[in-house]
Amino acid sequence: MLHWQAMLSSAVFIAVIGLIMTEWINLTVAALLGALLLVFTNIMTLEEAIGYIAKSHGTLSLFFGVMILVRAFQPTKVFDYLAARILFLVKGEGKRLLLGIIAVTVPICAVLPNATTVMLLAPLIPPIAKELSVNFVPLLILMVFVANASGLLTLVGDPVTFLVGDAINLSFADYLLRLSLGGVISIAVVALTLPILFRKIWRTKLDDLGQIPHPQIKHPEALTMAGFIFASVLLFFVIGDSLPVKISPAAVALMGAALSMLVSHQSRVDTVENILRDVDWSTLIFFMSTFVLIGGLEKTGVIKSFAGILAVSIGTNIVFGSIVLVFVVGILSSIVPNIPLVVAMIPLLKQYLINVGLVGTEVLTPDFMGQLPPSVLPLFYAMLFGASLGGNGTLVGASSNIVAAGIAQQYGRRISFKGFLKYSIPVTILQLVAATIYLLIRFFG
């Protein structure tokens, strides 16, 4: 690949990140213009750009399906009703609410992808915050931190954990034994910061619970059917890949979306036109554009070159390499979406191990089902922790962050890049340090 093309794709990517950070223009517009610039300068053809988007069709389909699933039944006032119930359960206390968000998010994120969990739970936050007279943006940010950390609890909790686990043939049970405690520690770090980072909400308390409104459910028959659809979708999210005929989470979400629109339209809850109009197209277009931008870096060899430099600097010192990977991958995944970053890093990390003679060339074959030497596995664990926790670093670091930003905008508020950093920098640093200490004690102690 020509040198100027690598330079240009890097410059475009850095410019897009710069525009998003300074908030000079809307993040979706910045990403879309950057992606189109790669096409107009012939870094890639339009067909290639669409191909990079198509590679992530599962992620996009999952997001689109869940967006419709949630939106279709908003007119039933179910989210307002649940919000009021939650406020009563936490007795109108901010500290109980913050801890409650952690308690609700953690078990769901252990079995569902974190961005999906945020889509399902986030609509509850704005009405709760309204009745408590607090800003809902910090609550959404907290949910994102917890969701990203909770994805580390199981092999299926985050696309990153699944990608890394699949690459090294790590079983569900082995993951629980080796790495789940790291996820628990990461969640504990978030919980310990609550009284400091979220102190205003922590101290908030409603003196009179009687002032909380009692929203009435509308269209109860349709809502009953919606509950059945939701339950079925959640069930097939968990068991779909283990069925004789595999059903991907994306296909499940799309089927749930179609059934939701059918029920909503036939029950006169809302029209299909209104539901589709309110889909968060801005977030979807941002993801599509980001996949193209990462594709440009991949095609021109930028990611490969950087990872190659990283591998040379590690040498054969696995302990040092693990520490470096946690922080370097953590920093990278705060500015580069962690899924494409991990997809690019896995084969390059394997190639590095081959080059230094720690594994054989068979590990690069697509159907490799063997086990890597236990001594090199901490490198992959370090990459996993860095990518998952580094996603908390900035607004664009993880898919759940962007989803939360889109939901906030739908409810009339904006999560700014700088505003996100106020919470994310201390949390991310503490989590990466805690993950490093866990790795050193667990695998090198």
Side-chain angles (χ1 to χ4, degrees):
M1 184 58 63
L2 295 177
H3 180 66
W4 71 266
Q5 290 182 316
M7 294 289 289
L8 182 58
S9 63
S10 300
V12 169
F13 183 82
I14 293 171
V16 169
I17 295 297
L19 289 171
I20 292 173
M21 291 178 66
T22 56
E23 300 177 343
W24 284 352
I25 60 176
N26 177 274
L27 60 85
T28 300
V29 175
L32 181 59
L33 286 174
L36 291 173
L37 189 58
L38 295 183
V39 174
F40 274 84
T41 54
N42 206 34
I43 298 294
M44 66 176 68
T45 65
L46 183 59
E47 290 77 11
E48 287 174 325
I50 294 173
Y52 282 111
I53 295 173
K55 287 181 181 178
S56 301
H57 69 277
T59 301
L60 295 170
S61 299
L62 178 65
F63 289 172
F64 176 72
V66 175
M67 284 176 183
I68 288 181
L69 195 60
V70 172
R71 168 58 184 82
F73 297 104
Q74 278 184 343
T76 64
K77 298 295 182 181
V78 62
F79 297 114
D80 296 322
Y81 176 82
L82 291 175
R85 294 297 96 195
I86 291 172
L87 264 182
F88 276 111
L89 286 174
V90 301
K91 300 180 180 179
E93 294 184 19
K95 64 175 69 175
R96 287 174 178 262
L97 175 60
L98 293 171
L99 293 171
I101 288 174
I102 295 177
V104 171
T105 305
V106 167
I108 298 177
C109 268
V111 294
L112 293 181
N114 43 23
T116 305
T117 301
V118 171
M119 283 185 190
L120 292 173
L121 296 181
L124 295 172
I125 298 299
I128 292 176
K130 181 180 178 182
E131 300 307 328
L132 204 56
S133 299
V134 297
N135 183 0
F136 68 75
V137 166
L139 296 175
L140 283 180
I141 292 175
L142 171 62
M143 180 176 286
V144 164
F145 291 161
V146 177
N148 290 338
S150 300
L152 290 167
L153 292 175
T154 68
L155 189 63
V156 296
D158 189 307
V160 168
T161 60
F162 182 79
L163 285 169
V164 175
D166 185 60
I168 60 176
N169 298 319
L170 187 65
S171 70
F172 194 95
D174 284 341
Y175 185 97
L176 292 177
L177 291 172
R178 299 176 193 175
L179 300 173
S180 289
L181 181 57
V184 173
I185 293 171
S186 300
I187 297 165
V189 167
V190 178
L192 291 173
T193 65
L194 294 181
I196 302 171
L197 293 180
F198 303 89
R199 55 185 172 273
K200 183 177 179 181
I201 299 175
W202 183 267
R203 296 170 181 169
T204 300
K205 183 177 181 180
L206 280 179
D207 295 325
D208 182 13
L209 293 180
Q211 63 184 280
I212 300 174
H214 301 269
Q216 297 300 310
I217 294 290
K218 298 181 178 180
H219 310 283
E221 299 86 0
L223 189 58
T224 300
M225 298 181 70
F228 176 76
I229 294 171
F230 265 104
S232 300
V233 167
L234 293 176
L235 175 64
F236 281 98
F237 273 162
V238 176
I239 69 170
D241 284 334
S242 60
L243 295 175
V245 178
K246 295 183 183 299
I247 306 175
S248 70
V252 172
L254 290 175
M255 177 59 78
L259 292 174
S260 296
M261 286 193 290
L262 173 65
V263 171
S264 182
H265 183 77
Q266 295 301 113
S267 303
R268 301 186 184 278
V269 173
D270 209 343
T271 65
V272 173
E273 290 77 12
N274 286 341
I275 295 170
L276 292 175
R277 181 196 63 204
D278 292 339
V279 167
D280 188 2
W281 295 107
S282 177
T283 297
L284 292 174
I285 293 171
F286 175 82
F287 279 122
M288 292 180 196
S289 303
T290 301
F291 293 142
V292 175
L293 290 168
I294 298 298
L297 296 177
E298 182 183 328
K299 181 183 177 184
T300 56
V302 174
I303 292 178
K304 184 175 182 179
S305 298
F306 185 84
I309 294 171
L310 179 64
V312 170
S313 67
I314 291 173
T316 57
N317 190 330
I318 302 299
V319 177
F320 175 70
S322 298
I323 297 172
V324 169
L325 278 174
V326 170
F327 287 96
V328 171
V329 175
I331 293 170
L332 284 175
S333 67
S334 69
I335 56 175
V336 179
N338 50 17
I339 296 174
L341 176 65
V342 169
V343 169
M345 285 291 294
I346 286 172
L348 294 167
L349 195 52
K350 287 185 175 182
Q351 184 63 58
Y352 150 72
L353 293 173
I354 293 172
N355 292 344
V356 296
L358 294 176
V359 299
T361 56
E362 68 276 1
V363 300
L364 288 177
T365 58
D367 57 349
F368 174 69
M369 296 302 293
Q371 295 293 317
L372 295 175
S375 60
V376 305
L377 289 177
L379 292 172
F380 291 90
Y381 302 156
M383 178 175 64
L384 185 153
F385 279 112
S388 293
L389 300 175
N392 280 332
T394 70
L395 187 60
V396 297
S399 54
S400 53
N401 307 12
I402 301 300
V403 167
I407 291 172
Q409 204 151 9
Q410 287 181 327
Y411 282 89
R413 286 188 179 270
R414 189 171 63 90
I415 301 178
S416 68
F417 196 95
K418 294 177 182 177
F420 190 90
L421 287 179
K422 182 175 72 173
Y423 297 93
S424 67
I425 290 177
V427 168
T428 304
I429 291 174
L430 288 172
Q431 286 183 322
L432 290 176
V433 170
T436 303
I437 294 172
Y438 171 73
L439 283 173
L440 291 176
I441 294 174
R442 175 68 176 81
F443 299 104
F444 302 106

